[in-house]
Structures are given as C-alpha cells and as structure tokens.
Amino acid sequence: QVQLAESGGGSVQAGGSLRLSCAASGETSTKKSMAWFRQAPGKEREAVAALDFGGESFYTDSVKGRFIVSRDKAKNTLDLKLDNLKPEDTAMYYCAAGFMIILGDGRWRFNPNDWGQGTQVTVSS
C-alpha cells in the first residue's frame, strides 16, 4: 500500500496559479504511476493529469495548456502546477497511485489503488 498526502490547495481569483504537491511513501511508491483527480460538489471524480512510471504525462482536455504534472523521484513527490485557473476548476483535488491504461487516439484512463485525503482548490470569478 502507498501512503499519499496532498498539500498546497487554497483560494485564488480567476487567472491565478497554485501548486499542489503529493508526498508518497511505501515500499513500491517509486514504481507506481501516479495521477491527480478532482471532484467538484455534485460531480463525479475525474482524472485531470497523470504521469506514468516512464515519465510520460497525460491530461484531460479541459486542463491541457494550463496544468503541468511533474514528479521528483528523489523526494518521491508528485506535483501539479495549476495556471490560468478558472472557476470551473474549483474542486477537491486528490492524489492517486495506480496504473495507466492507454486506450489509443489520445484517450487514457487511470486505475487508482491508493488515495490521498485531498486538498481544496477554490477559484473565484
């Protein structure tokens, strides 16, 4: 099992930026693919960005060009830089460890095995 702890959420105005970080620990944490999900009130949890073990990044269409996912293997952290934030980005953001599934035609899915507790991002207009 991988233990995950997110930090860095907060409240910003539209157009602002935040940086989320997820600290991972556990025997196999460095061998997992990892991802960021988010869940807004009344909506399903969705994967927004993922990084496979080989270092390839994946994004959902709504955040492409605005969010960047990165991994510091020495520190065993997964970061998410959020730029040009929009009110619709408001959600609880969760870090996850698990497995990538490449569906082709640019489509992908992430199967999580472990979750962090989440960090809130609120964007006001």
Side-chain angles (χ1 to χ4, degrees):
Q1 188 174 6
V2 178
Q3 291 77 46
L4 303 167
E6 302 94 335
S7 60
S11 297
V12 296
Q13 291 189 327
S17 299
L18 285 172
R19 188 178 191 91
L20 308 183
S21 187
C22 172
S25 62
E27 287 189 2
T28 59
S29 61
T30 58
K31 300 178 182 178
K32 296 277 191 178
S33 295
M34 296 183 72
W36 285 97
F37 285 71
R38 67 185 179 188
Q39 188 168 20
K43 294 188 176 180
E44 292 188 357
R45 192 172 295 190
E46 63 168 344
V48 295
L51 201 62
D52 72 11
F53 180 66
E56 186 173 359
S57 58
F58 301 83
Y59 300 93
T60 192
D61 287 346
S62 62
V63 308
K64 284 181 180 177
R66 301 189 299 120
F67 292 9
I68 297 176
V69 62
S70 60
R71 189 168 189 172
D72 186 329
K73 288 191 175 182
K75 296 180 180 179
N76 209 8
T77 59
L78 182 76
D79 292 343
L80 186 66
K81 182 69 164 46
L82 300 80
D83 290 322
N84 191 21
L85 281 160
K86 303 176 181 181
E88 51 264 42
D89 295 318
T90 295
M92 185 70 80
Y93 283 70
Y94 298 90
C95 177
F99 299 93
M100 288 293 304
I101 300 175
I102 308 302
L103 302 173
D105 296 326
R107 297 176 299 128
W108 57 278
R109 189 168 69 226
F110 191 89
N111 278 2
N113 294 131
D114 302 287
W115 293 99
Q117 82 286 354
T119 186
Q120 178 69 36
V121 171
T122 302
V123 185
S124 58
S125 58

